[in-house]
Amino acid sequence: MANSAHGIGGLVFDDKKKARAPEWNVFFALILIVVVFEVLGMILQGQSLLFDTDGRFDSIFNEQRVKIIILQVSIIGIIALGSTQVIILGGIDLSPGSIVGLTAMISMSFAQVAEVNGMVNPKLMFDGVADLPVIVPVLIGLVVGIAAGIVNGALIAYTKIPPFIATLGMMVAARGAAKWWSKGQPISFPTEGYATIGSGMMPVVIFFSLAVLFHLILKYTVYGKHTYAIGSNEQASRMSGIKVDRHKVLVYTIAASLAALAAIVLSSKNLTAQAGMGVMYELDAIAMTVIGGVSLSGGRGSIIGTVLGSLIFGVIISGFTFLRLDAYYQEMVKGVIIVGAVVLDQWRQQRAAARL
Amino acid sequence: MSDIILETRGLTKHYGGVHALEGADFAIRKGEHVAIMGDNGAGKSTFVRQITAVEQRTRGDVIFDGKPVHFAGPIEAREAGIETVFQNLALADDLDVPSNMFLGREKVRFKLGPFSILDNKAMREATMGGLVKTGVKIPNILNPIRNMSGGQRQCVAIARTAAFHSKLTIMDEPTAALGVQETAQVEKIIRTLKEQGEPLILISHNMRQVFDLMDRIVVFRRGRICANLNVKDTDPQDVVAYITGAKTGAEFEDV
């Protein structure tokens, strides 16, 4: 039964015919983009983007810049882990950016210190609500995320309105709620415990831990299998006895919870929360996901792809800064790359179909 | 009469004013392969949809395995042992063969609600078993279904029913969209099911197929069963006469 672990009915499985995992394509794209920036860097700036050319570091990499590249995509990367699952499910989520704003405001208002420099905290949101243990604001933030996710999921699963509309509604409403929470005022001065969550390289650690966790969940659990199945063929999933509606609520809830976590990390990192936090984050997260090879038609993609997509995203942003090019170009090129990734994905699918 | 696996009495379905199915009396024995034939709109698919509870009947009784049943939906019907291969394949294109075989009833190694850990090895092995049983040829069961031919996909859908030891298999035009070779493969599976004594209801327009494979032909016309013929005692012209209404038989009689 050596070879027949794959082939059946007398047909021998030819390993060479096995398609290369799509993540490899994303990985090669990452390498290609790095090479492009290295070459441009050598020509325009006379230095390397990622590598240590002047011996400032012990490793071959320019550690500082590599760290910054990963750090700056970590928070949106956490959101992208949720977007990945929603898109694999065949949906779309436009609300994470606003959920970041709302959750940051609410969490932070339970994470404030009582006294700043010996004076009563001037920004204190609620009298007497200060110096709480760090678990309180974190849990409250997660509850906000879970609640928003349940609303998203329930709207989509039970009223059957398109995910685009349901989450667009949440996007607008949650942003409004974020502004209403403190009448537009920023909330600041978190406790030391809360400030640790997003300090230093913590966002990166949290991003990668969650990536590993959700990679395993998508690959090895019933939850993952059903997410792919529903994205691939919702009707077949329903006929096969998968509780499609319940599953949708679960996926949107997990996505919104991840957005809430991102908000906690972000507000902790910035030591303040503002109602405008996270604007456009959902689009960057979707971009990372799409660049990472997750198909917008559902059923295909992976967390590994999204993590690679987020790194591509980070390299591009840093690369432009490194080349001292205008931020305007950066955004324009970002747009081109997002569209390009989708075009490339479709082209690849058509070619794969034509090969048969 | 204990060898009757499924019986319907006066099964009726109205869509508003449209009488799609009217007083269908039908029975199938264990191990028997019965064809359902009839023109488009004659009520064949409607009949199947009532049995599998994809729709709820207007009135009448369904007796399955000796007990009157009232399934709330197709999932309940399947749990009770009625496996259906639908006209539109109920497969998830992006998943591999084992995932499709076990869609909605995955084997788990460790129960944790929705986050239960999949037992991929057991599902792979059971899939191999199911496919060997039906004689399906697939080069790599770990490829997504998308990359397979229509015949292979149909075979997976059918093997799924075979793998779960259903008490009754229903196929709704399983070869309608298939080529000659692929059709032969599906017919081979149907023969295998016959040898194994698994009862089958086959909806088909293919006269040759029906005469080659089935024991009995039940003809639907305008929402009623108009003939119940033993394959041995009839011929294609006769069946066509019943289908088109040139000939009208007695009401349903027990063969």
Side-chain angles (χ1 to χ4, degrees):
Chain A
M1 290 285 280
N3 215 350
S4 64
H6 295 294
I8 204 161
L11 295 187
V12 181
F13 167 58
D14 183 358
D15 251 319
K16 274 176 248 155
K17 276 191 186 163
K18 197 177 173 195
R20 191 175 54 211
E23 286 78 16
W24 282 108
N25 294 329
V26 184
F27 182 69
F28 294 142
L30 175 61
I31 302 287
L32 183 75
I33 286 167
V34 167
V35 168
V36 167
F37 276 111
E38 288 294 341
V39 170
L40 286 176
M42 284 303 166
I43 294 167
L44 300 176
Q45 303 290 329
Q47 57 166 296
S48 159
L49 170 67
L50 293 184
F51 297 95
D52 181 19
T53 40
D54 42 15
R56 276 185 296 152
F57 304 97
D58 286 335
S59 74
I60 57 164
F61 288 109
N62 183 339
E63 272 176 31
Q64 221 163 333
R65 193 173 279 136
V66 171
K67 273 183 182 170
I68 289 171
I69 288 176
I70 302 175
L71 184 61
Q72 71 181 356
V73 295
S74 289
I75 289 170
I76 300 183
I78 295 171
I79 299 173
L81 297 177
S83 307
T84 304
Q85 299 173 51
V86 168
I87 293 174
I88 290 173
L89 182 80
I92 193 87
D93 191 352
L94 298 179
S95 64
S98 297
I99 292 176
V100 165
L102 177 62
T103 309
M105 297 299 278
I106 297 179
S107 286
M108 187 58 102
S109 57
F110 292 97
Q112 291 175 293
V113 286
E115 289 186 353
V116 183
N117 302 330
M119 310 270 285
V120 172
N121 184 348
K123 301 276 188 192
L124 199 59
M125 183 76 189
F126 301 113
D127 283 332
V129 179
D131 291 332
L132 297 172
V134 63
I135 190 77
V136 176
V138 170
L139 282 183
I140 289 175
L142 281 176
V143 167
V144 172
I146 288 169
I150 289 176
V151 172
N152 274 341
L155 279 174
I156 291 156
Y158 299 110
T159 70
K160 311 284 177 202
I161 57 175
F164 182 89
I165 299 299
T167 58
L168 181 71
M170 179 57 75
M171 172 183 163
V172 177
R175 184 66 67 193
K179 290 174 186 158
W180 159 80
W181 182 255
S182 65
K183 308 291 175 285
Q185 295 299 310
I187 306 174
S188 312
F189 304 117
T191 58
E192 211 169 297
Y194 192 78
T196 326
I197 300 172
S199 64
M201 292 302 277
M202 277 302 281
V204 177
V205 173
I206 294 171
F207 173 42
F208 282 117
S209 313
L210 288 170
V212 170
L213 175 70
F214 280 101
H215 169 74
L216 295 175
I217 285 178
L218 279 188
K219 218 169 154 63
Y220 297 109
T221 70
V222 172
Y223 168 85
K225 191 64 82 187
H226 288 182
T227 305
Y228 281 96
I230 294 169
S232 182
N233 188 339
E234 185 174 333
Q235 204 202 348
S237 304
R238 217 177 273 278
M239 297 238 253
S240 303
I242 296 175
K243 295 187 175 67
V244 173
D245 296 332
R246 216 183 58 183
H247 194 81
K248 280 185 177 172
V249 175
L250 186 57
V251 174
Y252 280 95
T253 304
I254 286 176
S257 308
L258 283 166
L261 261 174
I264 292 165
V265 176
L266 178 66
S267 58
S268 159
K269 180 170 173 250
N270 292 359
L271 303 176
T272 180
Q274 291 169 8
M277 266 179 167
V279 172
M280 295 280 277
Y281 275 21
E282 62 280 331
L283 297 185
D284 284 352
I286 292 170
M288 288 176 184
T289 308
V290 168
I291 293 171
V294 180
S295 167
L296 281 172
S297 49
R300 263 166 310 147
S302 70
I303 293 288
I304 294 178
T306 296
V307 170
L308 289 170
S310 72
L311 293 181
I312 290 180
F313 206 80
V315 169
I316 290 170
I317 296 172
S318 294
F320 272 83
T321 319
F322 159 68
L323 295 178
R324 288 171 222 265
L325 289 172
D326 234 328
Y328 305 124
Y329 294 119
Q330 194 178 313
E331 304 227 316
M332 286 190 265
V333 169
K334 229 157 71 178
V336 171
I337 286 174
I338 293 165
V339 175
V342 177
V343 171
L344 208 69
D345 175 58
Q346 298 222 330
W347 179 69
R348 220 167 39 216
Q349 275 174 49
Q350 279 163 11
R351 216 180 43 163
R355 241 199 330 260
L356 286 172
Chain B
M1 297 296 277
S2 65
D3 66 334
I4 288 181
I5 183 74
L6 177 93
E7 191 180 352
T8 68
R9 288 185 198 143
L11 194 59
T12 301
K13 176 71 183 178
H14 297 171
Y15 300 104
V18 181
H19 296 194
L21 188 68
E22 196 65 62
D25 296 324
F26 173 92
I28 177 168
R29 295 197 173 84
K30 284 176 184 155
E32 198 179 21
H33 279 198
V34 177
I36 292 182
M37 302 194 80
D39 236 333
N40 290 333
K44 311 182 296 287
S45 293
T46 308
F47 177 68
V48 168
R49 283 202 294 273
Q50 311 316 309
I51 296 174
T52 54
V54 172
E55 293 168 358
Q56 291 302 320
R57 55 187 182 257
T58 307
R59 53 172 183 273
D61 300 311
V62 176
I63 297 124
F64 179 64
D65 211 9
K67 291 180 289 287
V69 286
H70 249 287
F71 302 125
I75 293 138
E76 252 182 51
R78 198 177 71 173
E79 275 162 6
I82 301 179
E83 285 282 347
T84 312
V85 180
F86 290 99
Q87 219 163 350
N88 48 347
L89 302 171
L91 296 174
D93 274 348
D94 298 300
L95 302 186
D96 59 14
V97 179
S99 306
N100 268 293
M101 291 276 279
F102 288 90
L103 202 59
R105 48 188 157 185
E106 290 80 4
K107 282 182 195 272
V108 296
R109 208 182 303 168
F110 191 77
K111 258 186 122 68
L112 251 178
F115 299 104
S116 299
I117 312 290
L118 295 164
D119 191 348
N120 284 319
K121 189 159 170 268
M123 287 195 276
R124 218 155 43 224
E125 278 161 8
T127 302
M128 301 289 281
L131 292 178
V132 166
K133 192 170 150 192
T134 48
V136 178
K137 292 181 180 170
I138 287 168
N140 183 3
I141 60 167
L142 299 183
N143 260 344
I145 298 271
R146 180 185 298 286
N147 300 338
M148 296 180 187
S149 72
Q152 284 173 334
R153 292 152 54 89
Q154 189 63 275
C155 289
V156 170
I158 294 173
R160 179 156 82 171
T161 71
F164 286 97
H165 303 288
S166 55
K167 292 178 185 159
L168 174 65
T169 306
I170 301 175
M171 297 187 193
D172 193 349
E173 298 195 50
T175 59
L178 300 187
V180 176
Q181 260 190 323
E182 296 171 333
T183 302
Q185 202 174 16
V186 170
E187 288 175 355
K188 201 173 132 202
I189 298 182
I190 294 176
R191 280 204 183 86
T192 319
L193 289 176
K194 176 78 190 163
E195 282 159 20
Q196 287 163 356
E198 311 234 4
L200 171 84
I201 296 175
L202 173 78
I203 298 185
S204 178
H205 285 293
N206 187 330
M207 203 62 80
R208 178 202 53 78
Q209 190 174 62
V210 167
F211 274 84
D212 276 2
L213 299 171
M214 298 288 119
D215 303 318
R216 197 148 57 83
I217 301 171
V218 170
V219 181
F220 277 72
R221 182 169 161 74
R222 292 186 178 164
R224 290 170 184 278
I225 292 175
C226 70
N228 178 22
L229 310 157
N230 222 316
V231 166
K232 289 192 207 82
D233 311 329
T234 186
D235 56 70
Q237 280 80 18
D238 209 31
V239 175
V240 171
Y242 280 113
I243 290 172
T244 56
K247 197 168 163 183
T248 330
E251 282 293 308
F252 186 82
E253 43 181 89
D254 207 0
V255 179

